[in-house]
Amino acid sequence: MSGRASRPDTRADIAVRKCLERQQSFLMIAGAGSGKTTSLIKALVYLGERHGVRLMRNGQRIACITYTNVAVDEIWADVGKDVLFHVSTIHSFLWEIAKPFQREIKVWVEQQIQVKIAELEEKNANPRTHAATKIKNLKVIHQYREAHSRLGRIRSFRYETDRNFAEGILGHSDIIKMVPKLLDERPLLRKIVARRYPFVFVDESQDTDKAFVDSLKLIDQEEEAHFCIGFFGDQMQQIYATGIGSIAVEAGWGTITKDENFRCSRAVLDLINRIRKDGDGLEQTDGLAAPSTGEGAVPGSARLFIIPMDQDRGESLIRVRRWLASQEKDPLWVDDSPDADVKVLVILHRIAADRLGFPDLFRALHDTGPESFKTGFKEGTLWAVRPFLQTLIPLVEAVSQGNKHRVIGLLREAKSPLLTQDRLIHESNPAQHLSSINNAVISLSSVMSQAGSPGATVKECLEQVSSADLLPLDDRIANLISGNMTADTLGGDGEDEEGVGDKKVQALEAFLNCPASQMWRYRRYLEGESPFSTQHGVKGAEFNRVLVVLDDEEGKHFLYSFDRFLGIADPSSTDLKNTKEGKENSIDRTRRLFYVCCSRARKDLAVVLFSKDVGAARKKLISAGIFNEDAMVSF
C-alpha cells in the first residue's frame, strides 16, 4: 500500500496505534486540514499488517464507516480494496448488519405502519383538522393499510433511497431509525457485530447519528475485550442538523487531539484560529508548507470585502474576482474552468441555481417538491431528471462531436427499444432502420441544442423521445407526458409528510414547463464544473482560491446568521433563550459553518459580506477581531 499510508507519523498517529494495541476505544479530535483521514487510513493499514492474517482466519473484518460515497472511494483507493476492510457509508453498514434478520425487519415495518396509521387517525379525530387535510390523510391511511396487507407476501426486504413498504423497500431514514433500535433491543445482534467487526472506525464522527453512536457505545461496554471503536472527527465541523456533534468520552477511552494543519496558508490559518477561538478553543499549527523549501507556511491571503446590499450580487462577485486577479497577479481568479481551482461558496443551492441559470428547475423540483424530490434533485438521482443526465445530454454531445459509435453505445446502454435483438432481427432493411435511428437522434439534438429561452421545454423533449421510441421511459415519465399523472399513479407509500403525492404532482407539472436548456447548466453544477457550490457541499474538499459569500438577506436561512455571528446584529430572542438553557444557537451554528468554509482555502481566501450599512458593519467587524483591519476592502 502507498499514498497516505506511507506519510510520516504525527504524534496523533502514534497515540492511535497505542490505543489499538490495548484494544482501547478512542476519540480523535482533528481540525480542518489536519490529515484526519490520513490518520484513519494509517490506522487501518497498521491493523492489517499486525492482525490481518489472524482476523481473516477468524472470519473477521475491520469496519470503516464514513459519511459519503466519495469518501468511501477515497479510502478504498488508499487501502487497495483489501477484503479485510469493510468500507462503507453508515447506511450501507447498518443495512449489512440488519439484512440477515428479515423476520425482525418485518416486525419493525409492521410497527411503523401501525404507528403512522394511529398518528393520522388521531389528526383526523381532531376537530381543528381541515376537511381537505382529512381527505388527504384518509388516502395515506389507505396506502399504509394496503402496504400492511401485502407484508405477508414479501419474501425479503431491500434497501433503496426512497421507502415503499408495499414493495418491501426501506429508505435512508428507515435504516438509520431501525438498526440502532434492533441493536439496542437484541443482545445477540450486538454480540454478532462485535465478533464480526472487532475494530470499527467512524470517520466524520461529528455528523454521525446519535442513536448509532449510542448503539456502538453499548456494544463497547458489553464486549470490551473483543471490540474497539475509533471515532475520528471534529465538533467544529458539525454542520448537519442530524449529527451528534461532540461525542462524550467514556471511562477507559483514549482522547487524542490532532492540532496540525497541513492545508492552509498562514493568513487563512490565522483567520480560522480566530474563528475557532470562541468555539472549542483548539489552535491549529504549522500550515501549508512552502513548495520551494517544504518548510514554513506559505503567506497566502485572507480578505474581507464589504459590499452594499443594494448592489447587484452577481456583478459584485465578478468585480471582486477581477480585483483579486489584479491584486494577486493571479488571472485564475476570473477563470471558471475546473483547472482554475476557484470555488465560490453560497449558503443555498438556490443562489447557485440563480447564478448558473437553472432557477426554474430548482424552484420546480426543490422548492415545490417533497423531501425526497429535494434530496434527489440536489444529488442528481431523482428519476425525473435521470434520462437527461444519463442519456439525453450525452447523446446530444456525441452527435455534436460526430461520434456515431458513442451514439449507438449510449442507446444500447439505455436499452433502446430500437436496438433490441428482436427488433433488429425482424427489420427487413437494417441499414434503413439504423439511418432512421440516426435521424431521430439528430432531430432530438437539434431540439435540445436550440433549447435556450424561449426554446424547447422539458416536456417537448420527452415527447420527442417517446414518439421516436428512443428510450424505454419510466412509467411515471410516460404518465407525465401523456397527462395521466396523479398522486396515485406516482406510487409509493413513501414519506411521512402530509400531502406528499399532491406536492409531487405540482412539482412535476412545473418541471415539464421548464426550459430544457437549464438541464445542461444543472448538470454542470452537479459535476462540479462551475465555480459555485453550497457552503455545506464542500466539507472535506480544498481549493487554492475560495470566495465565501455572506448574505443573510438572500440566504433567508433561519438556522444561520452571519450578521449575528460577526456582531453586526444583536442575538435574537431565541438565541438568548437557547444560550440560557445551555442549547446551541444560530451563532454557534454559523461559527461552525464559517469555519468549514474558510478552512477549504489552501492559498487565498476572500469573504464577501453584503451589508445594509457598510460603514457600521466595518466598525463592528474591527471590534469583533476576527478580521484584521488591513484585510478589509470596501467597494
Side-chain angles (χ1 to χ4, degrees), residues 261-272 286-289 296-302 543-544 598-599 601-605:
N261 177 296
F262 302 111
R263 174 191 296 158
C264 303
S265 65
R266 172 51 55 189
V268 176
L269 182 57
D270 288 344
L271 175 65
I272 64 174
D286 297 319
L288 176 68
V298 299
S301 64
F543 312 92
N544 279 323
C598 293
S599 61
R602 288 169 50 84
K603 180 175 173 285
D604 295 314
L605 169 70

Side-chain angles (χ1 to χ4, degrees), residues 116-117 119-121 123-124 129-145 487-488 492-493 495-506:
K116 297 303 178 187
I117 290 173
E119 288 176 351
L120 291 166
E121 287 179 337
K123 286 180 181 178
N124 276 7
T129 303
H130 294 296
T133 302
K134 288 183 179 182
I135 292 171
K136 291 177 182 178
N137 287 347
L138 286 172
K139 288 182 180 179
V140 178
I141 289 171
H142 174 74
Q143 289 171 348
Y144 275 122
R145 285 180 175 154
D488 293 331
D493 60 7
E495 298 158 82
D496 300 337
E497 192 179 349
E498 187 176 297
V500 65
D502 293 327
K503 286 188 175 183
K504 288 180 178 180
V505 171
Q506 185 180 356

Side-chain angles (χ1 to χ4, degrees), residues 578-596:
N578 286 340
T579 301
K580 186 176 181 180
E581 295 174 357
K583 300 176 183 176
E584 74 167 21
N585 55 37
S586 68
I587 296 171
D588 300 323
R589 288 189 292 270
T590 307
R591 181 188 309 282
R592 296 197 299 267
L593 182 61
F594 193 46
Y595 171 81
V596 167

Side-chain angles (χ1 to χ4, degrees), residues 41 123 161 213 227 241 350 364 447 449 466 468 493 507 522 552 592:
I41 288 167
K123 286 180 181 178
T161 305
V213 171
F227 190 68
R350 177 183 297 103
V447 170
S449 62
S466 177
D493 60 7
Y522 167 55
D552 283 353
R592 296 197 299 267

Side-chain angles (χ1 to χ4, degrees), residues 302-317:
R303 294 186 176 88
L304 172 69
F305 296 79
I306 311 174
I307 298 176
M309 198 170 275
D310 57 5
Q311 290 189 12
D312 180 88
R313 265 76 161 178
E315 183 58 37
S316 294
L317 294 181

Side-chain angles (χ1 to χ4, degrees), residues 137-378:
N137 287 347
L138 286 172
K139 288 182 180 179
V140 178
I141 289 171
H142 174 74
Q143 289 171 348
Y144 275 122
R145 285 180 175 154
E146 177 65 22
H148 187 272
S149 71
R150 297 175 64 177
L151 288 181
R153 287 174 276 172
I154 296 171
R155 291 188 175 184
S156 64
F157 288 85
R158 62 188 189 275
Y159 157 54
E160 296 181 7
T161 305
D162 292 327
R163 172 206 297 172
N164 188 331
F165 284 157
E167 299 296 329
I169 300 172
L170 304 181
H172 279 332
S173 60
D174 298 315
I175 300 299
I176 207 72
K177 285 191 298 185
M178 178 185 72
V179 185
K181 188 172 187 294
L182 294 180
L183 284 167
D184 293 346
E185 293 175 348
R186 300 186 181 277
L188 176 61
L189 184 55
R190 297 196 293 272
K191 188 179 291 290
I192 289 172
V193 171
R195 295 298 192 271
R196 186 183 299 171
Y197 304 104
F199 295 94
V200 176
F201 291 165
V202 181
D203 191 18
E204 302 290 359
S205 58
Q206 74 279 352
D207 291 322
T208 306
D209 184 80
K210 181 180 183 301
F212 179 50
V213 171
D214 290 343
S215 295
L216 288 176
K217 285 187 172 185
L218 182 57
I219 297 172
D220 181 65
Q221 179 186 335
E222 295 177 347
E223 304 288 336
E224 186 177 357
H226 308 285
F227 190 68
C228 175
I229 321 168
F231 289 109
F232 296 75
D234 179 18
Q235 66 186 61
M236 272 296 289
Q237 296 187 69
Q238 187 245 321
I239 57 175
Y240 298 105
T242 55
I244 190 173
S246 177
I247 294 178
V249 176
E250 302 299 320
W253 284 22
T255 303
I256 303 164
T257 301
K258 192 173 189 184
D259 57 9
E260 296 93 347
N261 177 296
F262 302 111
R263 174 191 296 158
C264 303
S265 65
R266 172 51 55 189
V268 176
L269 182 57
D270 288 344
L271 175 65
I272 64 174
N273 277 334
R274 290 194 293 271
I275 294 170
R276 191 160 187 155
K277 183 178 179 181
D278 291 333
D280 65 353
L282 175 68
E283 185 172 349
Q284 295 182 262
T285 62
D286 297 319
L288 176 68
S292 57
T293 64
E295 298 177 357
V298 299
S301 64
R303 294 186 176 88
L304 172 69
F305 296 79
I306 311 174
I307 298 176
M309 198 170 275
D310 57 5
Q311 290 189 12
D312 180 88
R313 265 76 161 178
E315 183 58 37
S316 294
L317 294 181
I318 292 171
R319 288 171 55 213
V320 168
R321 292 174 68 183
R322 286 173 179 164
W323 188 96
L324 288 164
S326 173
Q327 184 72 19
E328 299 291 338
K329 296 180 174 54
D330 182 0
L332 292 180
W333 263 112
V334 291
D335 188 339
D336 281 354
S337 69
D339 291 341
D341 207 24
V342 177
K343 191 56 68 172
V344 180
L345 304 182
V346 295
I347 194 166
L348 295 176
H349 288 274
R350 177 183 297 103
I351 299 172
D354 288 342
R355 298 284 183 268
L356 291 173
F358 58 97
D360 299 302
L361 273 180
F362 186 89
R363 293 184 179 97
L365 295 175
H366 184 279
D367 287 356
T368 310
E371 198 58 42
S372 64
F373 274 30
K374 297 178 196 297
T375 302
F377 182 74
K378 286 186 289 189

Side-chain angles (χ1 to χ4, degrees), residues 44-80:
L44 287 172
V45 171
Y46 174 77
L47 282 175
E49 291 173 346
R50 292 295 296 270
H51 305 288
V53 174
R54 173 180 61 83
L55 293 172
M56 290 296 288
R57 187 171 57 241
N58 295 337
Q60 296 175 305
R61 302 177 74 191
I62 299 164
C64 177
I65 304 159
T66 190
Y67 201 75
T68 66
N69 287 315
V70 171
V72 169
D73 294 340
E74 188 180 333
I75 293 169
W76 269 130
D78 271 287
V79 298

